[in-house]
Amino acid sequence: MKKLLFNNAMKLAISFLLMSVLLFQQGCNMPNAEDSLEFEYVDPLEKVLAEASYFPEKEAKCEVVRGEHTTLQFIVRSPFTIKDLKVSVSQAVSNDNSLPAAKTGFVGYVKVGRSIWDYSRDRIVSVSGYYPDPVIETESVNVNSGNTQPIWISIPIPSDAVPGVYKGTVTITGINGNKKFRLSDEYSVKVYPVTVGKPTLWVTNWFSINPAQLKWMNGGQTFEEYSDQHWEYIRTLARKMAEYRQNVAIISPIALSEFKYENGTWNIDFAKFDRVVDIFIEEGVIGRIEGGHIGGRESTWLSQFVVTVPLKVQDKDKKYENLPISDPAAQEFYKTFFPALNNHLKEKGWDKIYVQHLADEPIEENIKSYIEIAGFVRKLVPDFKFIDACHSKNLGDVLDIWVPQLDFMNRDYEFYNEQNMKGKEAWFYTCLSPKGEYVNRFIELPLLKTRYMHLLNFKYNIPGYLHWGLNYWNSNDPFTEQTSIQYEGGNVLPGGDSWIIYPKDGKLFSSIRYDAMRDGLVDYELLRMLEKKDSVKAREIVNKVIYRFDAYDNNIEAFRAHRRNIMELLAE
């Protein structure tokens, strides 16, 4: 019995010893906190998922022209939790010259929780359902073990920058596991002797100044409408739009004016409308003023159009009613409103830059009511230019600026191109559609597909672009779920459709999509410049990138080579 107990004890002792040796060996093989940190440069056209893990070594270098922004993207990753990750960027210098200070941010991840139909072949699929998008301007972040954290760096290139190669350093610090670290990497920016000026492509992202949306700049807390705080938020919005080369602003004289019906006459006060327009002019957006829509559908998508009419007796809960344009009350109001607006625009010197929306997206089923509204308004203000997004070309001759959805532009390109050639304008717009292989701004699409929107403008001689959703944040925190649904038709608003900027503490953060869109607007201008110098080369290059309205080269390295070619040809 004693021998048996001794043998069992020896077996346990040997087993414990073997396990200890094994654990010791495993401990020796565990990554060291200092050596395990991955810090690499990644092309900023790459969307880096949090779960991404393979990053081949790449030189951090950019090639740009004067008057644009250059962007760099670095990633940080570790098997340990990283605490207090910070980034600093030294100014890039070339001999005695330097570029302006960089703006840094950390790319945040947002949820795309609804699927859409007709996905493109190059859709990015995230296992977690979270995608990189907002560029969060904060001093530091924590990074969970195993996750990848992109760092976003933006540098404005002055229009008078001295051409050359500028070099600087990106440094990150923090605590990896339990050990402090400090790592640096060099970057370079080659500035070509080429300058891009003010935008010539008409670009509008519709925006909201309604406190229901802007409250998210105030932490979700409501504030008084048209208070000093509200006006400051509106100015911040205008400043962001100008920074991203938007030059058309939708501002509604119907929504912003005060109306009183006295002694059988409508009296109109345009003061708030004027103040909003002044802000957008002062901040460098306008450009053009899009007068907001005067009408909309009576109920469902297939219903007829009605117009907005102020109530003669108003209260705080209801100020307007919707009436057919044939209604005597509607006609009485607009016979006063439009001549008064026309005179006011002329007094302010805005009449040449003002275009008027009537009602959004007319389709075959409600064309008749749309044309009735257009005909009535045209008689009142024959010099006004009418602009609208449209699903049909069968609107007679009522529009001066046609804005078909991109797939309709593709289908009826001959008609819309003819409008551009005969002195009118035909832009295109994207929204929750088109899907499939078309370019768009959806979060799940590669960034090239957002940037390429404006190469389409160049290739097909389309002078403008419209999107409805700059900041239509819904009732939830904009940093959470990005999709929503229209229950009438079961239409999913894809992630990235309703907004492309993010609110935080009175500020507006960009997104990696918004930066890509701005870069695409510069690409358009460079191709226009090259077309004036060598139209054959300009067309040859764009045709190597954009094959058709819905077919493109999606290789980032190839695109970079084509862009370099454009800059080199312009620099000759």
Side-chain angles (χ1 to χ4, degrees):
M1 184 67 176
K2 289 183 179 179
K3 185 176 182 181
L4 180 61
L5 290 172
F6 176 79
N7 288 339
N8 288 339
M10 285 297 295
K11 288 179 182 179
L12 286 171
I14 293 170
S15 297
F16 179 77
L17 180 62
L18 289 172
M19 288 178 65
S20 299
V21 171
L22 181 61
L23 289 171
F24 176 77
Q25 288 177 335
Q26 288 178 339
C28 291
N29 292 328
M30 285 289 287
N32 182 281
E34 188 177 53
D35 299 332
S36 64
L37 197 67
E38 199 169 0
F39 179 44
E40 297 289 351
Y41 178 73
V42 177
D43 192 298
L45 279 170
E46 293 277 4
K47 282 190 175 179
V48 179
L49 299 177
E51 57 263 36
S53 60
Y54 179 67
F55 303 100
E57 188 174 336
K58 188 179 183 69
E59 185 179 358
K61 62 179 182 179
C62 306
E63 297 171 312
V64 292
V65 300
R66 298 177 293 198
E68 68 169 327
H69 289 70
T70 191
T71 304
L72 301 105
Q73 179 176 223
F74 288 83
I75 64 90
V76 182
R77 185 172 180 270
S78 171
F80 300 94
T81 294
I82 303 172
K83 296 178 182 178
D84 198 29
L85 175 64
K86 296 179 180 178
V87 59
S88 61
V89 182
S90 71
Q91 282 187 258
V93 297
S94 175
N95 298 321
D96 294 330
N97 304 304
S98 62
L99 296 178
K103 183 165 70 173
T104 63
F106 296 95
V107 179
Y109 291 90
V110 289
K111 180 73 172 177
V112 178
R114 289 184 178 88
S115 300
I116 61 172
W117 60 93
D118 198 14
Y119 279 118
S120 65
R121 288 171 294 177
D122 54 0
R123 172 207 177 202
I124 297 169
V125 179
S126 166
V127 174
S128 66
Y130 283 81
Y131 288 82
D133 198 46
V135 179
I136 301 171
E137 298 170 26
T138 185
E139 183 180 1
S140 66
V141 295
N142 297 329
V143 185
N144 290 334
S145 60
N147 284 1
T148 298
Q149 176 60 62
I151 295 169
W152 201 257
I153 300 167
S154 178
I155 304 173
I157 310 300
S159 58
D160 60 353
V162 176
V165 177
Y166 293 74
K167 294 185 178 181
T169 303
V170 177
T171 301
I172 58 170
T173 60
I175 302 171
N176 186 29
N178 295 314
K179 189 168 185 178
K180 291 183 178 180
F181 67 87
R182 180 185 182 89
L183 292 174
S184 296
D185 196 0
E186 292 185 350
Y187 73 94
S188 67
V189 180
K190 181 175 181 178
V191 179
Y192 281 84
V194 178
T195 306
V196 64
K198 291 184 177 180
T200 62
L201 181 69
W202 294 115
V203 177
T204 180
N205 288 285
W206 290 352
F207 58 94
S208 172
I209 61 172
N210 192 315
Q213 273 79 44
L214 296 191
K215 71 178 183 180
W216 291 111
M217 297 178 70
N218 192 41
Q221 300 300 309
T222 57
F223 54 85
E224 183 182 349
E225 190 172 26
Y226 303 120
S227 61
D228 289 345
Q229 182 181 16
H230 191 189
W231 287 114
E232 185 56 37
Y233 287 165
I234 293 171
R235 187 172 292 278
T236 300
L237 191 62
R239 192 175 298 129
K240 178 63 70 174
M241 291 158 63
E243 182 185 353
Y244 280 78
R245 303 183 72 85
Q246 180 164 335
N247 55 7
V248 185
I250 186 166
I251 303 172
S252 173
I254 287 284
L256 288 167
S257 299
E258 298 290 336
F259 304 99
K260 286 185 179 180
Y261 190 76
E262 297 175 326
N263 302 319
T265 302
W266 280 106
N267 296 311
I268 306 169
D269 181 357
F270 292 108
K272 288 192 181 74
F273 171 75
D274 292 349
R275 185 168 179 179
V276 174
V277 172
D278 282 335
I279 287 172
F280 279 81
I281 290 175
E282 290 164 7
E283 295 300 332
V285 178
I286 297 171
R288 268 178 166 170
I289 305 165
E290 287 176 272
H293 305 85
I294 65 167
R297 286 168 168 78
E298 186 176 23
S299 55
T300 65
W301 175 252
L302 299 178
S303 64
Q304 298 304 307
F305 286 110
V306 292
V307 293
T308 299
V309 180
L311 290 167
K312 291 180 179 178
V313 179
Q314 301 180 2
D315 58 47
K316 64 178 182 178
D317 296 321
K318 188 174 183 182
K319 294 184 177 182
Y320 302 95
E321 60 182 334
N322 297 318
L323 301 172
I325 195 62
S326 58
D327 189 286
Q331 294 195 1
E332 179 190 18
F333 169 72
Y334 280 105
K335 283 178 180 178
T336 300
F337 173 76
F338 272 115
L341 176 61
N342 190 25
N343 291 333
H344 185 74
L345 293 170
K346 288 179 179 179
E347 290 172 3
K348 300 292 288 186
W350 298 339
D351 54 308
K352 303 301 182 185
I353 61 172
Y354 185 87
V355 296
Q356 180 66 57
H357 282 285
L358 300 173
D360 195 33
E361 297 178 318
I363 58 176
E364 296 294 337
E365 288 81 357
N366 51 32
I367 282 176
K368 183 175 181 293
S369 59
Y370 181 89
I371 292 176
E372 286 176 358
I373 294 170
F376 181 82
V377 177
R378 179 69 75 193
K379 290 177 182 178
L380 300 174
V381 279
D383 294 334
F384 268 29
K385 287 187 174 182
F386 295 161
I387 176 175
D388 266 319
C390 51
H391 281 212
S392 172
K393 63 180 178 18
N394 300 320
L395 298 175
D397 199 36
V398 302
L399 284 176
D400 300 283
I401 305 174
W402 299 75
V403 192
Q405 194 170 276
L406 179 56
D407 48 340
F408 303 145
M409 169 65 80
N410 183 10
R411 183 188 65 194
D412 296 317
Y413 177 68
E414 184 177 347
F415 170 82
Y416 292 116
N417 189 45
E418 182 183 352
Q419 304 306 306
N420 283 321
M421 293 177 67
K422 71 180 187 181
K424 291 196 172 188
E425 297 177 44
W427 306 0
F428 75 86
Y429 79 96
T430 62
C431 57
L432 62 86
S433 293
K435 302 181 181 72
E437 301 306 319
Y438 284 99
V439 295
N440 214 315
R441 315 181 331 186
F442 305 150
I443 289 175
E444 296 164 273
L445 292 180
L447 285 172
L448 272 179
K449 274 198 167 170
T450 299
R451 186 162 180 166
Y452 281 175
M453 291 191 299
H454 307 303
L455 271 68
L456 280 176
N457 283 109
F458 176 78
K459 180 179 174 74
Y460 293 105
N461 301 303
I462 301 170
Y465 171 77
L466 180 153
H467 196 285
W468 76 275
L470 180 76
N471 69 323
Y472 277 88
W473 309 307
N474 55 34
S475 59
N476 298 317
D477 182 344
F479 289 90
T480 56
E481 176 60 54
Q482 301 297 294
T483 69
S484 58
I485 191 165
Q486 294 176 331
Y487 289 103
E488 178 192 341
N491 283 328
V492 172
L493 298 183
D497 186 42
S498 301
W499 60 88
I500 197 168
I501 56 177
Y502 292 81
K504 185 75 171 178
D505 299 331
K507 299 179 181 178
L508 291 170
F509 296 158
S510 181
S511 64
I512 59 177
R513 293 176 298 124
Y514 204 26
D515 279 25
M517 181 179 172
R518 178 173 60 186
D519 290 341
L521 293 170
V522 174
D523 296 337
Y524 170 88
E525 301 296 342
L526 295 179
L527 284 164
R528 283 285 301 272
M529 292 165 63
L530 182 58
E531 185 178 40
K532 293 177 181 177
K533 184 175 183 178
D534 189 335
S535 61
V536 173
K537 280 289 185 184
R539 292 291 158 185
E540 180 183 298
I541 291 172
V542 77
N543 289 339
K544 288 180 179 178
V545 180
I546 308 295
Y547 308 138
R548 300 187 305 274
F549 274 100
D550 59 350
Y552 331 99
D553 183 356
N554 63 1
N555 184 274
I556 293 173
E557 288 74 17
F559 169 75
R560 294 291 186 197
H562 292 312
R563 217 230 191 210
R564 184 182 308 115
N565 191 14
I566 294 170
M567 293 186 289
E568 289 174 349
L569 288 168
L570 287 171
E572 289 178 354

